[in-house]
Amino acid sequence: MDARRNNILKEIVETFIKTAKPVGSKALCDKFNLSSATIRNEMAVLEDLGYIEKNHVSSGRVPSEEGYRYYVEHLMEAEKITGSDMLKLQKIFASGELELSDAINKCMEIISDITNYTSVVLGKSSKDNNLLQVSIIAINSNQVVAVVCTDKGNVENKMFNIGDNININELIKTSEIINKMLAGTPIDEVSMRLEVDVKPIIKRQIKQYETVYNIFYDAFNDFVAGSSNIHIAGRNNIFNQPEYNDISELKRLANKLDDEELIEKVAENDTDEKKIKIFIGDESEFDPNVTIIRKKYHINGEEGTIAVIGPKRMDYGRIVSLLEYIDEKLDSRKDENGK
Amino acid sequence: MDARRNNILKEIVETFIKTAKPVGSKALCDKFNLSSATIRNEMAVLEDLGYIEKNHVSSGRVPSEEGYRYYVEHLMEAEKITGSDMLKLQKIFASGELELSDAINKCMEIISDITNYTSVVLGKSSKDNNLLQVSIIAINSNQVVAVVCTDKGNVENKMFNIGDNININELIKTSEIINKMLAGTPIDEVSMRLEVDVKPIIKRQIKQYETVYNIFYDAFNDFVAGSSNIHIAGRNNIFNQPEYNDISELKRLANKLDDEELIEKVAENDTDEKKIKIFIGDESEFDPNVTIIRKKYHINGEEGTIAVIGPKRMDYGRIVSLLEYIDEKLDSRKDENGK
DNA sequence: TTTAGCACTCCTTTTCTAACAGTGCTAATC
DNA sequence: GATTAGCACTGTTAGAAAAGGAGTGCTAAA
């Protein structure tokens, strides 16, 4: 892989990213001041190396997954963010009004807008959250709301209908016991501790302790279950990508974007958390026909993942730059509040 | 419109609903023991009346919007729910464990599953909610969560980063003042009353009253804004309907399903709230190529709308029966808790 | 009132052709 | 040795032509 060959591969990848059409030898003549025959010879080598492919014997070349991989590792240059793009993103941070997670969501919506890809924000994992307190709020004599709050500021609430046999004061009393005993407990252990530590105690003090116990059990369980918090922006942008031009393909991808378990896997599996990671085609579990570019963030104890999903023919340089820019902005925000 | 003509129209509509293919005269011969020529004559009349249409001079007939309208008003029979469908729905109500809104969402998910249409639940409108209380929960010295709760059991929470200049006790004190003064106020008036009634008072008692005021203002505002609560199930079922067989059509519909303002209009505009309403094609603002069947519910003060969105060639009888069945089940639940 | 018969229309599918883009290879050239 | 012109070859695409079919409207007879 000498310099010229690298440049030809780079040109092929980038042209294909722009046009979505196979790249022929003639198209590159001018750029390199070479005849199409020479380009063809080089292309044959690149094909032997596995970096580009043909759809049929007389079609232009298309980058293979290996080709994209080589491109992002050796050839890609970070693209400068255009003024108008930067402006749109800056606005979000300028006012400082938005809460962190809202700001991140907004950012990714803008990225989806300007790039025509789909964005995912995976935030607020319930991992590493500890119980701060649970409160009981009485709506009326039949209904109460249990509000569970963690030390990272995640709050979930759940309403319960209670019968006449339960006294609200008993619920409040129980909540106080729980707060005294379990505050600081990792939220995913609370249910267990509730059973082991709290149940025996309220058994002695509360008449309908089974029912009361169940209410709190449900409230905590709901917290763990409802805490995945996925935000997807530009879901319908897949309709704009020429590679997804048949309905069964679109349907498959749309279904995958609705599959929360699958989306959550986007955040999984990594070694170097700080770096932007690129999954091309089969490299991710999501779908062989997409690329996922993702960045993890950790800010003021809140952690999460932002990712962009698009065709393998994705504008890698641009997305990497945009994600880096956002990360930078988020970092500066950490400094503000860290003080 | 004598009986035979009605029956022919009914047959045409129902056959088209099943097959999605234009209905020719021969297809009906057996059913009516008439020659195709006779059916053709009747069809010509039905076409003159505007109830059916041809795609081209020698195609079979397709119901027009007027035809569907006539069908649902005069010809349609409620379809008996099959055992397995009923079983699936009964399971939801049998346990009684699920909260009302969860149960409704689950129901509509099942309806989407078994029918291949898209379902919408519009619930928890913030209308007619009155402030019950606002609580301040301190996460740490820099962060607090404001929890707003209404008399209908709707709860929203919002986290705030506070600087050193604000004392948490001042926030708690302010929350107590608000609770004393504004409990029972319609939630959409709270912001206004906060400005007019509360602000002058805390101005005297609280040092950083501007900042404190803003926090509560934001918290209440967020409640109103974030209270639309739309739940869509079977969003991707549009991919399974043969009428939506081109990508631009799918894209248009997918975008509309993502447009919350548009979806909210599904609940608008009605006279007789109790009845199931059917909007065929242009009759709704949503899209000329769909039918929307909707039912409003009012249970224990919670109100909302459930709706099914599908092609105009929708299985009207089945959907109407299913929605009625759910409504019935919900009603029986009202009795339980109303006691 | 119903029906058999028939001409007619338009859609759909298939087949065929021509144009085209791009390749690989060979032999000549720099 | 690298580059290039030339050429045969291949697969795609677009369009035209042809064939088949489904279904209609109309007429005249039952």
Side-chain angles (χ1 to χ4, degrees):
Chain A
M1 288 298 290
D2 58 359
R4 190 175 77 176
R5 202 166 288 158
N6 272 333
N7 283 333
I8 288 177
L9 178 55
K10 181 160 182 260
E11 195 62 31
I12 292 171
V13 173
E14 290 177 356
T15 313
F16 186 67
I17 285 173
K18 267 204 212 96
T19 64
K21 297 207 176 79
V23 183
S25 52
K26 269 188 205 160
L28 304 187
C29 291
D30 289 352
K31 285 258 159 134
F32 293 93
N33 274 320
L34 291 168
S35 74
S36 64
T38 311
I39 306 276
R40 272 204 293 285
N41 288 334
E42 292 283 22
M43 279 178 160
V45 178
L46 287 169
E47 186 169 352
D48 282 346
L49 292 169
Y51 294 144
I52 56 179
E53 301 169 332
K54 281 186 291 203
N55 292 329
H56 54 87
V57 61
S58 78
S59 79
R61 301 308 212 290
V62 166
S64 67
E65 278 183 25
E66 291 75 24
Y68 285 122
R69 172 55 49 203
Y70 187 89
Y71 172 78
V72 302
E73 271 167 21
H74 301 105
L75 309 174
M76 179 179 74
E77 298 161 41
E79 218 167 277
K80 242 197 150 181
I81 302 177
T82 68
S84 74
D85 289 357
M86 199 180 283
L87 207 66
K88 284 175 193 157
L89 291 171
Q90 273 174 342
K91 262 190 201 158
I92 294 170
F93 294 99
S95 72
E97 270 176 20
L98 288 168
E99 202 204 325
L100 182 66
S101 67
D102 291 339
I104 294 173
N105 287 345
K106 198 91 192 158
C107 275
M108 297 314 279
E109 274 164 27
I110 285 172
I111 287 200
S112 283
D113 260 15
I114 62 183
T115 62
N116 250 317
Y117 304 133
T118 302
S119 299
V120 175
V121 182
L122 290 160
K124 280 198 186 177
S125 87
S126 67
K127 267 184 214 161
D128 303 333
N129 271 252
N130 303 311
L131 177 64
L132 188 71
Q133 64 168 74
V134 52
S135 322
I136 293 291
I137 298 174
I139 305 298
N140 54 43
S141 60
N142 287 320
Q143 298 179 300
V144 298
V145 171
V147 180
V148 177
C149 184
T150 73
D151 59 350
K152 294 216 171 136
N154 292 338
V155 181
E156 295 272 341
N157 57 269
K158 192 171 168 65
M159 189 166 76
F160 295 92
N161 296 314
I162 57 172
D164 294 338
N165 50 347
I166 300 219
N167 186 315
I168 288 174
N169 289 326
E170 294 190 326
L171 285 170
I172 292 174
K173 194 171 162 190
T174 307
S175 75
E176 283 163 1
I177 294 172
I178 293 173
N179 288 338
K180 224 172 263 168
M181 295 186 67
L182 301 186
T185 308
I187 196 72
D188 41 5
E189 291 176 22
V190 169
S191 299
M192 186 264 286
R193 297 281 305 274
L194 197 65
E195 163 97 40
V196 177
D197 297 346
V198 177
K199 206 174 183 183
I201 295 190
I202 61 171
K203 193 171 180 177
R204 276 177 274 146
Q205 304 187 19
I206 309 282
K207 260 189 258 170
Q208 297 287 334
Y209 80 96
E210 276 283 7
T211 324
V212 168
Y213 168 79
N214 282 335
I215 284 177
F216 284 99
Y217 184 87
D218 280 357
F220 290 122
N221 240 21
D222 231 46
F223 192 97
V224 178
S227 58
S228 68
N229 204 328
I230 295 174
H231 183 258
I232 296 185
R235 183 188 248 113
N236 295 336
N237 283 351
I238 52 170
F239 288 106
N240 301 326
Q241 300 298 344
E243 31 267 285
Y244 310 133
N245 57 2
D246 77 76
I247 294 184
S248 65
E249 179 95 356
L250 282 169
K251 184 182 166 187
R252 203 190 67 235
L253 288 176
N255 278 329
K256 289 192 172 181
L257 289 176
D258 272 2
D259 181 346
E260 301 210 337
E261 274 183 50
L262 192 62
I263 295 278
E264 269 173 27
K265 286 193 183 152
V266 170
E268 270 179 19
N269 176 351
D270 57 355
T271 45
D272 187 353
E273 290 233 329
K274 276 168 206 160
K275 276 192 68 177
I276 287 183
K277 266 212 148 188
I278 300 179
F279 302 88
I280 301 162
D282 282 321
E283 294 174 3
S284 85
E285 283 181 64
F286 188 77
D287 191 277
N289 276 347
V290 305
T291 277
I292 299 179
I293 304 185
R294 127 193 136 183
K295 176 81 183 73
K296 297 215 164 195
Y297 63 85
H298 300 256
I299 293 135
N300 302 336
E302 228 172 280
E303 63 178 302
T305 304
I306 53 182
V308 175
I309 301 178
K312 283 188 283 187
R313 180 191 61 82
M314 188 186 255
D315 194 342
Y316 291 89
R318 188 174 180 203
I319 298 299
V320 168
S321 297
L322 284 168
L323 290 188
E324 265 167 5
Y325 180 76
I326 290 175
D327 194 54
E328 206 176 281
K329 282 284 171 188
L330 290 175
D331 252 357
S332 70
R333 194 148 150 161
K334 168 156 46 179
D335 294 339
E336 275 173 38
N337 292 326
K339 266 216 158 183
Chain B
M1 289 297 290
D2 58 0
R4 190 177 75 179
R5 200 165 289 155
N6 272 333
N7 283 332
I8 290 177
L9 178 55
K10 182 160 180 262
E11 195 61 32
I12 293 172
V13 173
E14 290 177 355
T15 311
F16 185 66
I17 284 174
K18 266 203 213 96
T19 64
K21 296 209 176 78
V23 182
S25 52
K26 269 187 203 159
L28 303 187
C29 291
D30 290 351
K31 285 259 159 140
F32 292 95
N33 274 320
L34 291 169
S35 73
S36 64
T38 310
I39 306 276
R40 273 204 292 286
N41 288 334
E42 291 284 22
M43 279 178 158
V45 178
L46 286 169
E47 185 169 354
D48 282 347
L49 291 169
Y51 293 143
I52 54 180
E53 300 170 333
K54 282 185 291 204
N55 291 330
H56 59 259
V57 61
S58 78
S59 80
R61 301 308 212 291
V62 166
S64 67
E65 279 184 24
E66 291 75 23
Y68 285 121
R69 173 56 48 204
Y70 187 89
Y71 172 78
V72 301
E73 271 168 20
H74 302 104
L75 310 174
M76 178 179 74
E77 297 161 42
E79 217 168 278
K80 241 196 150 183
I81 303 176
T82 68
S84 75
D85 288 358
M86 198 179 285
L87 207 67
K88 283 174 194 157
L89 290 171
Q90 272 173 342
K91 261 189 202 157
I92 295 170
F93 294 100
S95 73
E97 269 175 22
L98 287 169
E99 202 204 326
L100 183 66
S101 67
D102 290 340
I104 294 173
N105 286 346
K106 198 92 191 157
C107 275
M108 299 314 279
E109 273 164 27
I110 284 171
I111 287 199
S112 283
D113 259 15
I114 62 184
T115 63
N116 250 315
Y117 303 134
T118 303
S119 299
V120 176
V121 182
L122 290 161
K124 282 197 184 176
S125 87
S126 66
K127 267 185 214 160
D128 303 335
N129 270 254
N130 303 310
L131 177 65
L132 187 72
Q133 64 169 74
V134 54
S135 321
I136 293 291
I137 298 174
I139 305 298
N140 54 44
S141 60
N142 288 319
Q143 297 180 301
V144 297
V145 172
V147 180
V148 177
C149 183
T150 73
D151 58 349
K152 296 213 168 141
N154 293 336
V155 182
E156 295 272 341
N157 57 270
K158 192 170 168 67
M159 189 166 76
F160 294 91
N161 296 313
I162 57 173
D164 294 337
N165 51 345
I166 300 219
N167 186 314
I168 287 174
N169 289 327
E170 293 190 327
L171 284 171
I172 292 175
K173 192 170 164 191
T174 306
S175 75
E176 283 163 1
I177 293 172
I178 292 173
N179 288 337
K180 224 174 260 169
M181 294 186 68
L182 300 187
T185 307
I187 196 73
D188 41 6
E189 290 175 22
V190 168
S191 298
M192 187 264 289
R193 297 280 304 275
L194 196 66
E195 163 95 43
V196 178
D197 298 346
V198 177
K199 205 173 184 182
I201 295 191
I202 61 169
K203 193 170 179 177
R204 276 178 276 145
Q205 304 189 16
I206 310 282
K207 260 189 258 169
Q208 297 286 334
Y209 80 97
E210 275 284 5
T211 322
V212 169
Y213 168 80
N214 282 336
I215 284 177
F216 285 99
Y217 184 88
D218 280 358
F220 290 122
N221 239 22
D222 230 46
F223 192 97
V224 179
S227 59
S228 69
N229 204 326
I230 295 174
H231 182 258
I232 296 184
R235 186 190 245 110
N236 295 336
N237 283 350
I238 53 171
F239 288 106
N240 301 325
Q241 299 299 343
E243 30 269 284
Y244 311 132
N245 57 1
D246 77 76
I247 293 183
S248 65
E249 180 94 355
L250 282 169
K251 184 181 167 188
R252 203 190 66 235
L253 288 176
N255 278 328
K256 288 193 174 183
L257 288 175
D258 272 1
D259 180 346
E260 301 211 336
E261 275 183 48
L262 192 62
I263 294 279
E264 270 173 25
K265 286 194 182 152
V266 170
E268 270 179 18
N269 175 353
D270 58 353
T271 46
D272 186 353
E273 289 232 329
K274 278 170 206 158
K275 278 193 66 177
I276 286 183
K277 267 211 146 187
I278 300 178
F279 302 88
I280 301 161
D282 282 321
E283 294 174 5
S284 84
E285 284 180 63
F286 188 78
D287 192 278
N289 277 348
V290 306
T291 277
I292 300 180
I293 304 185
R294 130 195 132 181
K295 175 83 182 77
K296 298 213 162 193
Y297 64 84
H298 299 257
I299 293 135
N300 303 336
E302 226 172 281
E303 63 179 302
T305 303
I306 52 182
V308 175
I309 301 178
K312 284 189 282 187
R313 180 191 64 81
M314 187 186 257
D315 194 342
Y316 290 90
R318 187 174 181 203
I319 297 299
V320 167
S321 297
L322 285 168
L323 290 188
E324 264 166 6
Y325 179 76
I326 290 176
D327 195 54
E328 208 176 278
K329 281 284 170 191
L330 290 175
D331 251 357
S332 70
R333 193 147 153 161
K334 167 154 50 177
D335 295 338
E336 276 173 38
N337 292 326
K339 265 217 156 183

